[in-house]
Amino acid sequence: MATINEFKDGLQMLEEATGDAERIQEQVLGQILKKNAGTEYLSQYLNGKTDMLLFKKNVPIVTYEDIKPYIDRIANGETSNILVAEPIVEFHRSSGTSGGQPKLIPVTAEISNLGALYFTLMTSVMNKHFGNLYQAGKRLEFMFAKEDSETPSGLKARSSSTSFYKHDRFRKVISKHSTSPIEAILCSDTNQSMYCQLLTGLIKRDEVVSVASAFATVVLRAIKFLEDHWEELCSNIRSGEISDWITDSGCKDALSSIMKPNPQLADSIQNICSCKSWEGIIQKLWPKAKFINAVTTGVMSQYVETLEFYGGGLTLVSVFYACSEAFCGINLEPLTGPSHVSYTFIPNMAYFEFLPLNKDSLTIAQEDVETEPVDLVHVKLDQYYELLVTSVAGLYRYKVGDVLKVTGFHNSTPQFQFVERQNVILSIHTDKTSEEDLLKAVTEAKTHLEPLGFISRGYTSYADTSSIPGHYVIFWELKAKEGNDNQELDSKIMAECCYRMEESLGYIYRSNRKQNAIAALEIRVVKQGSFDELMDYYVSRGTSMTQYKTPSCIKSKEAINILDSKVMSKFFSP
Ligand code: AMP
């Protein structure tokens, strides 16, 4: 575990690295080329040379599909040095967005070292702003490992978070500073795991200084789970006995060491949870919590109001921007509100390049803007880019699939706002609606519903072309802040919401509508818990719950059927 001095050193290191980004980036690329120029992959472009200009000139920009044949060969038993000189020790299963096909991302020992450094830097930033959190108390962080799978060659394939939880170094940190027992985190039954993590979090409620999950979805899932199970949890706390359905031996062992009858604690939790409104429930249940730590940018920004409602004024902190491919940025100002979060890139983590995008259509820039990728220190303020990563583990000029916007600089290093996943597009005719467009449209409609006492538990969309002309369908889970969850929605107001969404969509969408090339936008309101079922579906298909991101747009027939079977009411734009 890092010591206080290491955290101070962490801050100093951040200052030094961000002040010297250009040199560090050159050094990172130089070392990657020196080690890997002889690999089968790079030598076809570089002929064994390690020249950086040649790298930029000859090495192609690739997507996962382009390098998949190499990865498959390694997964099937060929030596890893066809791609990277250092041995591949495992693969991380990345989904990017949960709707996508899981990818296998190569990992070498050096990646673990970078992960440890990234974690220390992030903790240094948090401690700077919130005081020494390790001394202040424990973190209630909802974490879920997934079972490992193996490639035919015997290499492990698992989510990066699972790898993190299983790593000795982090296991120690977790067991010391988190209320969630490692046995519960590793339990593959997510319901038993969630129950145990909530139970221990409630038993240790006076020690909890932050409530967290990697992405906002999981904190909200925990709240929904608590809504459904708080009476049972209180009864367990009262009696000191664990419910019979907790059969996982790890969970049982971990709980048995802390469970003892505690009627007083059960009473106070019961008093809080039996209130009509759950506004501020997180703050009430964990009174010493200083903040909620979960990513609330990108597609997660749809959950901000809902988290604020449950958080009761607790600061929302969105501190990291990372992907299975690379650790990228850290939010150096974690107290900034979710809509202003920017991530400062850490120059030591990988070699980063940025493909300029055309602001209006978010396609590759033409005309007045450069189309060649630019280096980290050469990005321009307010410009949009697609991120390319060259990693120490065998990714070269790899498109991560994220769109970022430059919002400023810390020393010489740029800071980026996360804009959206590239290519998540709804389209019927000539219209192209991106993740960000849709988010704006839903936000517009939401402002209409909030005064009526509804909060959003999630939305997604699909292009319904089963009738002609096709139309956009938005599935939406709405919850009444108080009272009956199945409260009737005013059809006039909901039709107005549909209309507001259409108004917010681009000019091309609207002109298609006028010409009847697209039919009226439809909102399908789904039952409580539908989006948890959607998450369960994707988790059953290989996505890690910790890394789950609600897809903005779904294409899978099965996923659409799940939501369709939960529809309570349908509304159309007038
Ligand atoms: P995975 O590798 O499956 O964990 O997915 C990584 C992806 O999650 C990234 O490429 C982003 O699309 C998304 N992501 C990670 N961090 C953030 C963040 N801070 N804000 C928005 N999206 C994020």
Side-chain angles (χ1 to χ4, degrees), residues 442-507:
V442 174
T443 307
E444 183 60 39
K446 228 170 24 178
T447 53
H448 234 59
L449 286 178
E450 265 158 22
L452 303 178
F454 286 96
I455 47 174
S456 165
R457 276 232 163 117
Y459 74 82
T460 187
S461 66
Y462 84 103
D464 183 348
T465 50
S466 58
S467 51
I468 296 174
H471 70 292
Y472 288 11
V473 173
I474 316 295
F475 289 105
W476 209 358
E477 186 174 321
L478 292 167
K479 175 162 175 64
K481 284 183 186 170
E482 272 180 37
N484 182 3
D485 277 338
N486 297 327
Q487 197 170 315
E488 283 255 318
L489 289 155
D490 183 318
S491 55
K492 253 197 192 151
I493 291 177
M494 290 307 292
E496 176 71 15
C497 285
C498 297
Y499 176 69
R500 291 278 174 128
M501 280 192 197
E502 292 203 305
E503 281 291 289
S504 153
L505 295 171
Y507 162 79

Side-chain angles (χ1 to χ4, degrees), residues 94-96 295 297 320-324 343 402 418 421 547 549:
S94 142
S95 51
V295 166
T297 47
F320 74 87
Y321 167 53
C323 46
S324 308
Y343 303 99
D402 291 341
F418 183 94
R421 285 292 294 175
Q547 287 164 244
K549 288 133 226 137

